[in-house]
Amino acid sequence: MKKSFGIVGLPNVGKSTLFKKLTNIDITIANYPFATIDPNVGVVPVPDIRLNELTKLSNSKKTVPAILEFYDIAGLVKGASTGEGLGNKFLANIREVDGILHLVRIFKEENITHVEETLNPIRDIEIINLELRLKDLETIHKRLNSLANEAKTGKIEALLELQLLTLIKAKIETGENIYEFAASNTPVLGGK
């Protein structure tokens, strides 16, 4: 089984450094925004001593560990959802991964530039989260437009998806965290 994770954050927060440590791949690390343009990709087997024991117990001929694939994604800046920096490219790369590791800079270092000029981790988290929410809204709007026609035909899957996306859209617009949205709260036609 392979899962992929994108390392995301503002430029110059240490994404490439973390990637290099996780994967042991020698990559360029530089003190300027957008040193990474195309994502660096590294595959890492997950060490698990139990796996060897299972191999012995089952007399397996081959042992295949779980695999994590890491993507060192270009830094995101304020306005990325509208194309600032490498925004659209960055956000397209995020769509390709199963999960994200959000890296935030909390270290003070005069010699390493900060795109916002001051160190403020809370602000930086809010910038990334806002840009991701805005891109999610754009994606949802496009899908809602195409679902509207499908739903008119009475297709149950389209009606359910339309209802769910409308609810998710409302939560995103109010700033709620959709990751905490419980599956048990998913609406069903005719009620909750």
Side-chain angles (χ1 to χ4, degrees):
M1 176 176 74
K2 178 174 74 172
K3 291 291 183 183
S4 59
F5 294 91
I7 304 170
V8 302
L10 295 176
N12 294 354
V13 297
K15 295 180 304 299
S16 295
T17 301
L18 176 62
F19 176 85
K20 186 174 182 175
K21 291 290 185 188
L22 289 171
T23 64
N24 290 320
I25 296 174
D26 192 25
I27 59 169
T28 301
I29 297 174
N31 183 21
Y32 55 87
F34 311 118
T36 302
I37 295 175
D38 292 318
N40 295 304
V41 181
V43 177
V44 180
V46 178
D48 188 342
I49 58 172
R50 299 172 298 173
L51 189 57
N52 292 331
E53 294 302 316
L54 289 172
T55 300
K56 289 177 193 174
L57 285 172
S58 65
N59 293 320
S60 295
K61 294 179 182 177
K62 189 175 182 182
T63 303
V64 180
I67 300 289
L68 293 179
E69 188 173 51
F70 290 101
Y71 288 74
D72 174 24
I73 298 176
L76 179 80
V77 295
K78 192 184 299 183
S81 60
T82 59
E84 289 294 319
L86 297 173
N88 290 324
K89 185 174 182 58
F90 169 95
L91 293 161
N93 290 330
I94 287 179
R95 277 197 197 112
E96 303 302 318
V97 297
D98 297 313
I100 60 172
L101 300 171
H102 184 173
L103 194 60
V104 180
R105 179 174 168 178
I106 59 171
F107 63 91
K108 290 183 181 182
E109 176 55 60
E110 302 274 327
N111 296 324
I112 299 177
T113 60
H114 192 294
V115 293
E116 292 294 320
E117 298 179 10
T118 59
L119 186 63
N120 184 334
I122 301 299
R123 175 205 56 216
D124 297 349
I125 290 169
E126 289 170 351
I127 288 171
I128 299 293
N129 287 342
L130 176 62
E131 294 302 325
L132 293 174
R133 278 196 312 270
L134 291 172
K135 196 61 174 181
D136 285 345
L137 280 174
E138 179 184 311
T139 302
I140 288 170
H141 281 289
K142 287 178 185 176
R143 183 64 185 143
L144 285 173
N145 288 337
S146 64
L147 274 175
N149 291 330
E150 286 182 53
K152 287 177 187 173
T153 66
K155 188 176 172 186
I156 192 76
E157 294 87 2
L159 291 167
L160 289 171
E161 187 178 350
L162 182 66
Q163 192 174 18
L164 179 60
L165 283 179
T166 301
L167 180 59
I168 291 171
K169 177 179 167 276
K171 289 192 173 295
I172 291 172
E173 288 173 339
T174 61
E176 288 185 57
N177 188 345
I178 62 168
Y179 307 111
E180 296 169 3
F181 181 62
S184 61
N185 292 329
T186 303
V188 179
L189 289 177
K192 288 187 177 182

